[in-house]
């Protein structure tokens, strides 16, 4: 996957001319994964003291 700019005729198209893959679906999936990773990271930062305290007791 290169990009929508180089693999399609217009920016509104999603199907790659090179491989025939739906590039918008891949981009959407990566955006969702990035958001989930960010939320997980923020949650770990917020609860890090609780997590570290429980691991020290064990």
């Amino acid at each position: 996957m290169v990009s929508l700019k180089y693999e399609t005729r217009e920016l509104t198209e999603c199907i790659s001319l090179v491989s025939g893959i739906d590039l918008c679906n891949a981009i959407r999936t990566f955006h969702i994964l990035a958001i989930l990773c960010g939320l997980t990271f923020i949650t770990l930062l917020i609860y890090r003291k609780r997590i570290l305290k429980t691991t020290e007791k064990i």
Side-chain angles (χ1 to χ4, degrees):
M1 180 171 80
V2 177
S3 70
L4 288 174
K5 180 179 179 182
Y6 296 111
E7 290 193 24
T8 59
R9 289 191 185 110
E10 296 179 21
L11 291 176
T12 57
E13 293 180 2
C14 290
I15 306 299
S16 169
L17 297 173
V18 177
S19 62
I21 297 172
D22 184 6
L23 299 175
C24 292
N25 189 24
I27 291 170
R28 201 174 307 114
T29 302
F30 290 134
H31 283 168
I32 291 170
L33 287 174
I35 291 169
L36 288 175
C37 287
L39 290 174
T40 303
F41 181 72
I42 290 170
T43 304
L44 288 173
L45 284 177
I46 291 171
Y47 293 109
R48 70 177 178 245
K49 290 182 182 178
R50 289 185 186 176
I51 293 170
L52 291 175
K53 284 182 183 178
T54 58
T55 57
E56 288 176 0
K57 290 179 182 178
I58 297 174

